[in-house]
Amino acid sequence: MNGSESVIETHGLSKHFGRHRGIEDVSLSVRRGEVFGLLGPNGAGKSTAIRLLLGLIRPSAGSGSVLGLDCWRARRAIHRRVGVLPSDFAYEDMLTGREVIDFFRRLRGLPADGRADELAERLRADLDRPLKQLSRGNHQKIGLIQALVHDPELLMLDEPTGGLDPLMQEEFLRIVEELRDDGRTVLLSSHNMAEVERACDRVAMIHQGGLLAVETVDSLLSRAPRHLRVTFDGPADAAPFAALDGVRDVRATGNSVEMDVAGDINGALKLATARHVVDLVCERPSLEHAFVRLYEDEDSGGEL
Amino acid sequence: MIAKLAAQTLRMRLRSILIWSLSLSALTVLMVAIFPSIGKIDFEQLLKQYPKAMLEAFGIEDTSQYSTPIGYINAELFSMMIPLAIAFLPLGVINQCLPAAEERHFLDNLLCTPVARWQVLAGAAVAGATALATVLFAVWAVTLLAAELLDVNLGMADLARSCVSLWPLASFVASVGALMAGFGPGRGRALGAAGGVLVLMYMLPVIAAFDHSFAQAQKLSVFYYYNDWLKHGIDWSEAVAVLAAAAALTAIGAVLFERRDIAS
Ligand SMILES: Nc1ncnc2c1ncn2[C@@H]1O[C@H](COP(=O)(O)OP(=O)(O)OP(=O)(O)O)[C@@H](O)[C@H]1O
Ligand SMILES: [Mg+2]
């Protein structure tokens, strides 16, 4: 299998709901075998993008293809080959999880096997209670199982860990890792930076319907500012640091000074070591930091 | 695929099918039970006091119909109450499967399996028509049994005719719901539109009885044919035409449903 073959591709994909913007001119490509994250705040357009790719809504402009098939016209052929968790997973709530999963499997023409029970055990899901009796997290697990149970080559999961407790989030991330090891492709949306940082190879950042950046998680982190905290043997002064290029949010408290340093940290280090340094902490930035910076730059009209 | 969808829907609606069967049967059995005492009243004398147009409007052209059990049940139940009520059974099934399911975000799941949208709509229509047939059969069987036990002479074929006549009528009303589902989500919209059509169609022949300028217009109403079937037997070519119209509305609904956005 060609490693750079793209499984999802969009060209200028746009969706307007009347006067309201859904997404605007999104062009991206997801390669086979990667875990791809759609990241963005509420209302950014993540679900809209996924629903377009699944042919649930029709593009206003541009086009998208999934597994080489047009996402609007060939949606049924796509549905045969994907596993989907919609953003608000819900189904007839007097049915039990098992009944829902079996029904969807029958529609796919697949025989029952032990996979649903296997997944239920891993996620600690109760398959034998009606959906209406399940808590939000346990309800979400049924949605995850029905997306995974037929072992599809491509998964599209809209906020898969929504409602899951940290332990189950962890288990879910392990499942995603296994899927990647098996050569499956996963597209997932999230607001959870830590989760995307851990699970994804690449991320697309969506903000107000537009694509801000598509990058590998590594390069995004390397460009992101580092958080530096220096403690001296005497009172610290913020001013010299604030004057440096790429240094932001400088705060001096007592003998310590804290700052965010974008790009090269040598300038800040040299300035610090000119005095007697008692302690120095340089934190690897979280994706969240990187992300917030991107948004700030976008909102202030600055360059990325 | 349509069969799988319809079967699942029917499984889920089993309880409501049972309730419909029981409550409608209770009505017809009640009528059967009170007929022996009603049968003694001289309706012909009583009804002659009313203006002819008014009797016609209520489908009472021939006052002698009250003298037979089937005539009495037809006049009391099958000419208005049961048809107006039972149309909401298949309509409700379609409404649950499409606009209501869409509103509750069920369709995002269902439509991401390899079912076509038109199949979802067709499955709902088949489930509605099947539920309807089941309830009608139950009403027929229970009523006959009750008549047998109460020693009322209710013709098996006559009662069957009344029940079978309801099937195209209610299917047609449900197809208006299917058409509306093609336009968009919202439980109220399909129910409201189909309910409106139902009442309008019921009123047309009633109005035509008073105002003869509606003589032609009433032919647009399924009730015009239905009333006739109750009295003179089912005209099968008319029944097929009504069902064809229902199929056409459902098909238009399916085409619209294929082309529109699923609400989020
Ligand atoms: N059916 C619709 N009708 C009108 N506007 C819509 C519709 N669906 C989405 N929108 C709008 O499109 C924009 C993007 O919504 P979307 O649901 O894709 O955001 P999201 O990134 O998934 O947000 P969240 O993180 O809250 O799930 C929002 O402004 C939303 O109001
Ligand atoms: Mg969303």
Side-chain angles (χ1 to χ4, degrees), chain A residues 238-249:
Chain A
F241 289 99
L244 290 173
D245 244 13
V247 175
R248 292 164 83 153
D249 297 339

Side-chain angles (χ1 to χ4, degrees), chain A residues 3-22:
Chain A
S4 65
E5 178 198 353
S6 70
V7 169
I8 297 174
E9 233 180 291
T10 70
H11 297 283
L13 192 61
S14 306
K15 179 68 187 178
H16 301 271
F17 300 99
R19 290 180 298 106
H20 299 280
R21 165 197 48 73

Side-chain angles (χ1 to χ4, degrees), chain A residues 15-17 51 54-58 72 75-76 79-80 82 84-95 99 103-104 106-109 146, chain B residues 1 4-5 8-9 11-13 96-97 101 104-119 257-264:
Chain A
K15 179 68 187 178
H16 301 271
F17 300 99
R51 297 180 86 244
L54 289 166
L56 291 168
I57 49 178
R58 184 181 206 151
W72 175 253
R75 58 186 174 222
R76 240 182 117 189
H79 295 157
R80 256 184 264 282
V82 299
V84 178
L85 175 73
S87 72
D88 296 294
F89 171 77
Y91 205 66
E92 299 281 357
D93 56 11
M94 68 273 216
L95 297 179
E99 286 168 334
F103 174 53
F104 287 156
R106 275 202 303 283
L107 292 179
R108 291 186 179 278
Q146 64 80 36
Chain B
M1 202 63 105
K4 284 181 200 168
L5 289 162
Q8 175 73 11
T9 302
R11 256 198 300 280
M12 288 189 295
R13 307 285 163 233
Q96 288 287 322
C97 289
R104 300 171 69 190
H105 305 293
F106 299 170
L107 290 189
D108 272 22
N109 297 307
L110 187 59
L111 295 178
C112 285
T113 63
V115 295
R117 294 184 185 184
W118 69 265
Q119 289 173 324
F257 188 44
E258 284 281 343
R259 301 162 76 99
R260 72 168 169 89
D261 287 353
I262 302 302
S264 55

Side-chain angles (χ1 to χ4, degrees), chain A residues 229-234 236 253-257 276-281:
Chain A
R229 194 177 68 230
V230 191
T231 311
F232 301 105
D233 57 356
T253 37
N255 292 356
S256 296
V257 60
H276 186 79
V277 174
V278 177
D279 189 21
L280 183 138
V281 179

